Amino acid sequence: LFRSTISIGIADSNGDAEDIPTLIAHADLALYDAKRRGRDQVITYTEYASELVRTKSHADAPDHAK
């Protein structure tokens, strides 16, 4: 039995990526986030960045708010 998975990271030039290396770096970050979330996922850089903001905001919240 052969099993395979696919994880995809997507970034577009309409966001804050001003050059090709930044665009590739954003797609790479989204790819690794897709793998972290359990593979077989497609994650956009926007989703990845939103998750970072939500996680950071949650981490900075007072203990009683968590």
Side-chain angles (χ1 to χ4, degrees), residues 19-33:
D19 54 28
I20 297 298
T22 301
L23 187 63
I24 292 170
H26 287 179
D28 195 48
L29 288 169
L31 167 64
Y32 282 99
D33 189 45

Side-chain angles (χ1 to χ4, degrees), residues 33 36-37 47-61 66:
D33 189 45
R36 181 189 63 80
R37 293 182 189 201
E47 290 172 302
Y48 168 74
S50 295
E51 177 71 19
L52 279 181
V53 168
R54 189 170 74 239
T55 301
K56 181 169 175 29
S57 296
H58 183 74
D60 293 340
K66 293 181 182 177

Side-chain angles (χ1 to χ4, degrees), residues 7-23:
S7 300
I8 299 173
I10 298 174
D12 66 47
S13 60
N14 293 330
D16 60 353
E18 297 179 8
D19 54 28
I20 297 298
T22 301
L23 187 63

